[in-house]
Amino acid sequence: MLKLIFVSFLCGISKKWGESLFILMFVFILLIVRRPIRHNLNWFNLELDTLGWLLISLRVWISLLATLSSIKIKVRTQLKNIYLFTLNSLLLFLILSFRVRDLIFFYLRFEACLIPILAIILGWGYQPERSTAGVYILFYTLFGSLPLFTGIIFIFETEGSLYLFDIIKWDGRGFFFILIVAAFLVKFPIYGAHLWLLKAHVEAPVAGSMLLAGILLKLGGYGIIRVISTILRAPIFKEIIISLRIWGAVITRIVCMRHTDIKLLIASSSVVHIRVCIAGLLIISEWGVKGCFVIILAHGLASSGLFCAANLVYTRTHRRSIFVNKGLLNLIPRIRLCWFLLIVRNIGGPPRLNLGGEIILINRILSWRFINIFPLVFLSFFRAAYRIYLFSLRQHGVFAKSISSLQRGFVLDFFLLIRHIIPVNFIILIFIYLFCFCSLN
Amino acid sequence: MNLNKNIYKLFRNLLLFLRLVIYSFALNLVLRENIIFLEWEVIRINSNSVIIGILLDWISIRFLGSVFLIAGSICKFSDFYIEGDSDYTRFILLLISFVFSIVLLIISPNLVRILLGWDGLGLTSYVLVVYYQNERSCNAGILTILSNRIGDVCILISIGLLFFKGSWTFYVFRDVLLRKTILGLIIIAGITKRAQIPFSAWLPAAMAAPTPVSALVHSSTLVTAGVYLIIRFSPCFENTNIINILLIVSTITIIMSGWGANFETDIKKIIALSTLSQLGLIIIIVRAGLPELAFFHLITHAIFKSTLFICGGTIIHISDGSQDSRQISSLQISRPLLICIFALTNLALLGFPFLAGFYSKDLVLERIFREPSNYVLILLIILATGITVSYRLRRIFLGVSSISNLKRVRELIDITKPLFIRIRVLSFFSLLIGFSFHWVFYWEGFALVLSLEAKYYILVICLRRAFIAININLNLKNLFIFGNKKTWYNGFRRMWFLPFMSTNPLRNTSLFKGGEQFNLLDKGWIEYYGATGGQTFFLSSSQILQKGQTRVIISRYLVSFFFVLTLLLLLFL
């Protein structure tokens, strides 16, 4: 445990790209090989269980890939060391936020993650609109998380303890739930508070969007899983939130068909994906929580992979519109294969993790209210529809004549994409592990 | 290139070898009346168990054998068809993954495993349909996968509903009354995969794929997956009204597709439409409570349909890729061997006595006449059989008509010897499979008691339709007596405008609604009550405050107010 923190810290302060990658790899291997027993460390207020362990592994893996994918910044710009420092400090905050056992410390780390991602968007974004995006991300999330602080104070006053793993004993009133959960709902965007995410995704550089989609969104999910038991006191809020989630997802699905910006399309599709997942989580049951967690893991890899692949196209053609990037099948066929695999995984193709999680979530939502069958049919259908639309319009048709030249795929590109594709196929083992042997708390 | 050749050979030999093994295994199973059922419980949590299993019974094992036979022969054929293409290896790999998905589907005893194969079929078929890179195949691919996706969603939801029953194995549900939603969803899933009437636009559109793929799709894989699902769940449908949906849908589909095939000119689309009508017939048999017979017809149909596609593909390949059947004539002079196989398979399909189609079709019709059912059904079935005869004969008629549409300078090749060697197994089977299957697997004799009229009715109707077929070809213009002739003609040719209806309204509404929602909500209300609205509100209110603070009186008031407040606090606390 201490070793890991030390190594992460080392990673945070190191300014060399190669060494940093090496250290990350080392941390990842260290994480994977160790058995996730509950660790307890009074000194730093740290504790780790299976949930945190899996999420930290995902995090380290994705920030490794994010660092690799922004190799262009290393080559082209002056501030490469500061960039690396920002990425690594984000990683450090994230790792710490999954290890703390105290709600107030969790809150601190949760908020601290905002600073590096803001720096990434403002510092290395592409368009001048990134300042607006920065304001959006800052104010939306802060607006949500200030009530959490009040809620924490209330909890401390009534309970006398802020121990994160025993929240089941909290005896809060109904509005507690909203106070506590609002921050996570904004982070894990609920319909209506999702504008910051789309803006941030569109304006962020590739590493920023990968980290946002792969990690930062999941922080909200993790928070909700931790404080889920407070919902028992607030049945009406629960119903409102679930309905808002499902119908918001339906609306966003239709809107997705209209987007022509590749990054915006991927961003809003990932928003939708996560929404149903929260609906399954709030119907409290063991299957629901585990299914939601499975989706969180799988989606973290899948969406960051899609952003990475979108960036590959963007670096080649310098355009993000679907209508310009056409006919790529003939020119870069192997990247097309990676695209197809990623998209299939997002749809929930056969041997992938998404499918299992999705089946569980469908069952949970139907067990809550049978009438939800209509939005669910709609959601599952349109999920395939716009993904196929994204894939097919890109790969077929005539290549735009205005783009005079095109790089072929580098080894690094395939390296990146394949490292997004492979883990999900193995992660099915984690699924079995989760369901057979472990209880999440 | 050498390696690639070997890949084709490898898969071909592997599949044909597996076919032999499985057929002999099937004989063994039938002889001993055994069923092999393996189960492995992967996860068990809260009384729900996720089971991976293998089911080998008379349905799956014989289906498997036929799939291997067809796939092996098609491997041979696609070696000939795709030769010289730049994606030579990719094609065979996709084809094999396609076959693998159907195998996964066939041997699975529960719905989750079926979903794996089912989804795999949908995705690989999409990739195969968009194999040629042009806009037409791209559109056809999207239509195909989205139509199939409806079925996927139905199965997903029904899996979610079957969760409550505690098991997904369909053997369990023979005695359990399932709720109607599940049955309805399974029926819709079957309809989409089988391309019955509301969803039948995708099947002719999928003809954009290379011919070997079409042969696989139509004969033994994609469309039969839907029939397979219905056959597997047929015990659950007994004593429910919901199966009548199947009946209505199938009869309408038969008439639509059969009548449309009489006006179609694309050689592959004619075969596609005939698949539609045959599948409708199979479902009617299931509805009549004879799933075994339906399965028999399914297998014979699979084999001669793939032969037909191979012949059609050869004709297309030889005649410079033209699919217009009016271009292809006087084949009896230019390609006697090919037209011989083609005509024989056509005859087998329409049920010529003692060829493959005869055994299943005759049995089916006589059984249906014997079963108590209503007259409308019998009338529709007779009509359907007649229409089949008519368009099949029209096809042969077009092929052998002496009006030559050939170009002036043209190379004339018959089916070459290597190609003939490649497809001879399949063509042999397509003639004799009915005979052999009938005597091997259906040897328990049963007596059929029919009146004289019923016995001869089919024959008379078929002959009558044959005359009509020739009449249609000769007098196409005088066929429609009333109304606008062109509209009638287009309506029949374009499947009662189904492709138009299943794409345009959906596309327009979803795009229109999407834009509306985007403007109204994302750019409208949410922005107004969120970021932009908040900004304006705070800016304006702070402006008011700012203005207020500049006024002398207000600042005095404020100062005096705070002064008094502190004084009061100090006094009373």
Side-chain angles (χ1 to χ4, degrees), chain B residues 103-123:
Chain B
V103 170
L104 209 64
L105 187 132
I106 289 167
I107 60 171
S108 56
N110 69 36
L111 210 55
V112 178
R113 277 281 311 284
I114 281 188
L115 179 71
L116 294 189
W118 189 276
D119 259 1
L121 275 180
L123 291 168

Side-chain angles (χ1 to χ4, degrees), chain B residues 300-345:
Chain B
T300 46
H301 166 256
I303 287 176
F304 54 64
K305 190 49 65 68
S306 55
T307 320
L308 262 185
F309 261 108
I310 286 178
C311 289
T314 318
I315 293 173
I316 292 166
H317 193 72
I318 289 172
S319 57
D320 301 339
S322 164
Q323 298 195 0
D324 196 339
S325 64
R326 290 165 299 189
Q327 298 272 326
I328 301 154
S329 56
S330 53
L331 286 173
Q332 82 275 25
I333 304 164
S334 58
R335 286 136 207 172
L337 187 56
L338 184 64
I339 192 67
C340 186
I341 298 173
F342 190 61
L344 274 177
T345 327

Side-chain angles (χ1 to χ4, degrees), chain A residues 362-390:
Chain A
I362 284 176
N363 170 261
R364 284 299 96 196
I365 292 170
L366 287 182
S367 76
W368 180 63
R369 288 278 189 284
F370 188 72
I371 195 78
N372 280 329
I373 196 165
F374 298 109
L376 279 178
V377 165
F378 195 79
L379 285 176
S380 306
F381 177 72
F382 271 93
R383 179 164 69 232
Y386 61 71
R387 293 260 160 68
I388 289 297
Y389 157 81
L390 172 64

Side-chain angles (χ1 to χ4, degrees), chain A residues 136 192 258 287 330 363 392 395, chain B residues 45 133 138 160 163 511 527:
Chain A
Y136 267 65
R258 268 297 267 233
W287 279 92
N330 282 342
N363 170 261
S392 193
Q395 306 294 345
Chain B
I45 176 169
Q133 198 217 7
C138 163
F163 221 92
L511 280 182
E527 195 77 59

Side-chain angles (χ1 to χ4, degrees), chain B residues 273-319:
Chain B
L273 289 170
S274 92
T275 310
L276 277 183
S277 68
Q278 294 293 318
L279 288 171
L281 184 63
I282 291 170
I283 289 305
I284 288 179
I285 306 163
V286 177
R287 162 68 181 75
L290 309 164
E292 293 125 48
L293 213 55
F295 183 69
F296 180 35
H297 192 62
L298 182 69
I299 283 184
T300 46
H301 166 256
I303 287 176
F304 54 64
K305 190 49 65 68
S306 55
T307 320
L308 262 185
F309 261 108
I310 286 178
C311 289
T314 318
I315 293 173
I316 292 166
H317 193 72
I318 289 172
S319 57

Side-chain angles (χ1 to χ4, degrees), chain A residues 2 47 49 55 74-75 90 102 108 117 122-123 126 150 160 202 220 239 244 248 281 293 331 337 345 361 372 395 408:
Chain A
L2 257 183
E47 198 163 325
D49 67 344
L55 280 170
K74 190 200 169 195
V75 181
L90 177 59
D102 204 297
L108 279 181
I117 196 76
L122 288 181
Y126 299 123
T150 339
V202 171
E239 307 227 337
L244 203 61
L281 183 61
F293 188 63
L331 298 163
L337 174 68
R345 228 174 42 184
L361 285 186
N372 280 329
Q395 306 294 345
R408 301 189 66 181

